């Protein structure tokens, strides 16, 4: 039988790699399974200017390369594979790669992240990072002084519209129904901002521009009248999906799939299984918060392995 690993980390965004740095330095010999998008969501981000320690900013892919190198420097093994199945009965947990290799581990750190939902337009893919973004806090700064549009009507959309309204002269909020899903207080903030223009019953038909966004074609789904908004950026804020499907029936999660942890820790309902990063955070979703919870997960796992006499 194959050896039992001390610590398997599933996912390779800021949470996974930070967990790896801490786990490797603590002598836990961690193995990171990167998942389908090594580096996670930051690989589709251009400049990151809000991660402390990079005074000039840094490209998302470069930052994740730095994270990976730092994890490897202390002996983390990195496997470019996807985990497709788990059995977290314990005390020894089992996980399977997509190629059906079975791995046994005393502790598992979940850092599988979340994926932004997209509208599914061809122009959205083509203009990604060229004016199309799914994160106002990350990218809003690049649009200061410019007119932008934002799709969505939930709390994220309301929060992002309010955030953008502090940077941009005009924010067009495109709401597909005649009401918003966002909480009352968030809606009030939107309504109070003089420079947020809410377009009700409005759907995005196409994002315009060749090399960068120059506008958005929208349609009013009540009148069927199409119109064009001249904007330099389009923010898509229609929700995220945590990448937690394989943990269903094993790890407690909320109705939208975010993993539940004991507040203030990374502990899940399963002994020896810890959750970190966006997979367990629907509120903050920042690289720096993900890294912070990755650190917590490694420290919690270390404590667990020490108590069990494994390390
Ligand atoms: P939600 O699922 O709550 O909202 C998604 C929004 O996007 C809905 O208004 C939906 O419209 C709209 N939408 C979905 N698909 C499309 C589409 N194809 N075209 C146009 N619009 C679309 O996601 P959120 O990310 O806003 O929130 C997720 C969870 O996180 C919620 O529970 C929220 O309360 C929470 N949250 C809390 C925050 C806080 O407390 N500060 C901040 C951010 C999120 P429709 O309403 O018509 O379905």
């Amino acid at each position: 039988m194959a050896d039992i690993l001390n610590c398997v980390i599933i996912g390779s965004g800021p949470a996974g790699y930070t967990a790896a740095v801490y786990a490797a330095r603590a002598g836990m010999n961690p193995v990171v399974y990167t998942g389908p998008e090594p580096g996670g969501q930051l690989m589709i981000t251009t400049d990151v200017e809000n991660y402390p320690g990079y005074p000039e900013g840094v490209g998302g892919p470069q930052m994740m390369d730095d994270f990976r190198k730092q994890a490897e420097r202390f002996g983390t093994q990195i496997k470019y594979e996807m985990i497709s199945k788990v059995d977290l009965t314990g005390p020894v947990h089992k996980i399977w790669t997509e190629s059906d290799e079975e791995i046994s581990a005393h502790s598992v750190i979940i850092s599988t992240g979340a994926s932004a939902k997209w509208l599914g337009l061809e122009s959205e893919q083509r203009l990604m990072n060229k004016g199309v973004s799914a994160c106002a806090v990350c990218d809003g700064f690049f649009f200061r002084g410019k007119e932008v549009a934002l799709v969505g009507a939930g709390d994220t959309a309301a929060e992002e519209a309010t955030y953008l309204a502090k940077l941009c002269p005009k924010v067009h909020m495109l709401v597909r129904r005649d009401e918003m899903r966002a909480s009352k207080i968030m809606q009030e903030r939107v309504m109070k901002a003089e420079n947020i223009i809410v377009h009700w019953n409005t759907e995005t038909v196409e994002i315009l521009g060749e090399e960068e966004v120059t506008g958005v074609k929208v349609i009013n789904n009540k009148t069927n009248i199409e119109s064009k908004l001249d904007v330099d950026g389009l923010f898509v804020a229609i929700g995220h999906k945590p990448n937690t499907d394989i943990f269903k029936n094993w790890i407690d999660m909320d109705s939208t799939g975010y993993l539940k942890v004991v507040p203030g820790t990374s502990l899940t309902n399963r002994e020896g299984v810890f959750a970190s990063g966006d997979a367990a955070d629907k509120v903050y979703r920042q690289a720096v918060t993900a890294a912070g919870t990755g650190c917590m997960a490694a420290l919690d796992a270390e404590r667990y392995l020490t108590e069990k006499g494994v390390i």
Side-chain angles (χ1 to χ4, degrees):
M1 201 184 117
D3 289 345
I4 303 173
L5 301 174
N6 287 335
C7 178
V8 163
I9 299 169
I10 310 176
S12 56
Y17 281 142
T18 303
V21 168
Y22 275 78
R25 294 186 77 252
M28 290 156 69
N29 303 318
V31 180
V32 171
Y33 282 84
T34 62
E37 286 158 20
Q41 288 187 83
L42 280 167
M43 300 303 281
I44 55 157
T45 304
T46 46
D47 291 335
V48 180
E49 294 184 334
N50 54 8
Y51 198 91
Y54 290 103
E56 306 302 325
V58 59
Q62 177 63 52
M63 185 165 115
M64 293 324 297
D65 206 40
D66 291 345
F67 269 65
R68 179 185 52 74
K69 284 186 190 144
Q70 193 170 350
E72 282 182 320
R73 184 179 150 210
F74 302 109
T76 302
Q77 264 192 71
I78 300 189
K79 306 266 193 182
Y80 292 89
E81 280 188 87
M82 162 122 174
I83 299 301
S84 56
K85 200 170 82 175
V86 296
D87 176 341
L88 304 175
T89 314
V92 173
H93 300 296
K94 288 187 182 154
I95 63 177
W96 286 267
T97 65
E98 219 170 22
S99 52
D100 222 24
E101 186 195 348
E102 182 182 314
I103 299 136
S104 302
H106 292 292
S107 71
V108 175
I109 294 177
I110 302 172
S111 43
T112 45
S115 304
K117 291 184 191 160
W118 296 100
L119 297 168
L121 302 170
E122 179 277 327
S123 48
E124 178 185 50
Q125 284 300 316
R126 189 168 47 79
L127 293 165
M128 182 92 58
N129 289 329
K130 296 172 183 161
V132 173
S133 165
C135 180
V137 178
C138 319
D139 298 331
F141 189 71
F142 304 117
F143 296 88
R144 64 197 183 283
K146 296 179 176 173
E147 202 166 319
V148 297
L150 175 136
V151 186
D155 278 336
T156 302
E159 197 169 72
E160 299 212 331
T162 316
Y163 181 87
L164 290 168
K166 292 180 196 142
L167 301 168
C168 305
K170 222 180 243 184
V171 179
H172 298 272
M173 191 166 174
L174 311 178
V175 177
R176 68 178 173 182
R177 291 188 290 136
D178 57 3
E179 59 177 1
M180 284 191 207
R181 184 186 293 267
S183 52
K184 199 163 168 276
I185 185 161
M186 304 288 255
Q187 289 195 41
E188 277 168 12
R189 277 184 207 150
V190 167
M191 296 308 175
K192 234 191 250 164
E194 281 172 8
N195 56 340
I196 301 179
I197 300 128
V198 180
H199 300 255
W200 303 102
N201 302 306
T202 300
E203 292 178 39
T204 312
V205 178
E206 197 188 342
I207 305 160
L208 306 168
E210 286 303 318
E211 295 303 316
E212 54 188 28
V213 172
T214 56
V216 191
K217 196 199 276 183
V218 295
I219 188 166
N220 182 305
N221 56 26
K222 287 273 183 266
T223 61
N224 276 339
I225 294 173
E226 279 194 353
S227 56
K228 188 183 152 224
L229 297 168
D230 293 323
V231 292
D232 293 305
L234 179 81
F235 289 84
V236 180
I238 59 173
H240 283 76
K241 186 183 179 312
N243 302 317
T244 57
D245 288 352
I246 58 167
F247 305 109
K248 268 189 192 128
N249 304 323
W250 295 109
I251 303 292
D252 287 347
M253 43 182 85
D254 72 8
S255 59
T256 50
Y258 285 92
L259 304 177
K260 287 187 181 170
V261 291
V262 175
T265 76
S266 68
L267 274 61
T268 68
N269 57 308
R270 295 269 168 189
E271 266 210 356
V273 182
F274 307 89
S276 62
D278 288 11
D281 169 20
K282 70 170 158 195
V283 177
Y284 301 103
R285 295 194 301 246
Q286 298 300 300
V288 69
T289 47
T293 56
C295 158
M296 288 163 65
L299 294 178
D300 288 338
E302 183 200 354
R303 228 161 268 154
Y304 170 79
L305 294 176
T306 305
E307 274 166 22
K308 295 279 164 198
V310 175
I311 57 169

